[in-house]
Amino acid sequence: AFAGDTIYAWSAVMEKEEIVGRSDVGALRLRTIATKDRPCADFPYMRQTAEGQREYDPAVVLDLDYTVLMPRRAAAKPARKAKAKAPAKAPAKAKKAARR
């Protein structure tokens, strides 16, 4: 890649893995592919040659397969039921005015 080139990249989750003994994290296997001057809309990656073999598209400048640890989402807490509120008591002045 040279100055003025545009690099486009996309990632995909290839696999999710449990980590034995850890409930707070999990592992994701990711694959990131980047191309030079070729938008990701058609996901250019491999192409078929005249001989029927698959090869990288010439625009591909990166194909990275890696695993990352990710924190797990906290389990959703069950919603608490709202307590019914007792009606508010009227101020003493209002009570006196109501008696008149």
Side-chain angles (χ1 to χ4, degrees):
F2 296 97
D5 290 342
T6 301
I7 301 295
Y8 297 91
W10 65 94
S11 296
V13 175
M14 306 302 287
E15 184 179 359
K16 293 191 306 186
E17 299 177 30
E18 299 287 325
I19 304 297
V20 178
R22 297 286 304 263
S23 61
D24 60 332
V25 294
L28 291 177
R29 183 173 151 234
L30 304 174
R31 186 172 198 179
T32 298
I33 298 172
T35 57
K36 177 180 74 164
D37 293 329
R38 180 100 183 262
C40 307
D42 59 349
F43 298 103
Y45 166 53
M46 300 292 278
R47 66 180 187 171
Q48 194 93 12
T49 65
E51 296 83 34
Q53 296 177 341
R54 290 176 50 89
E55 66 179 19
Y56 279 105
D57 186 290
V60 173
V61 294
L62 175 74
D63 182 2
L64 186 61
D65 190 323
Y66 55 104
T67 302
V68 296
L69 288 179
M70 297 292 290
R72 291 184 181 273
R73 292 185 204 162
K77 295 180 181 177
R80 294 188 310 170
K81 291 183 180 178
K83 294 182 181 179
K85 292 184 178 181
K89 294 184 179 180
K93 289 183 182 178
K95 286 182 185 178
K96 288 180 184 178
R99 283 189 256 171
R100 293 183 191 175

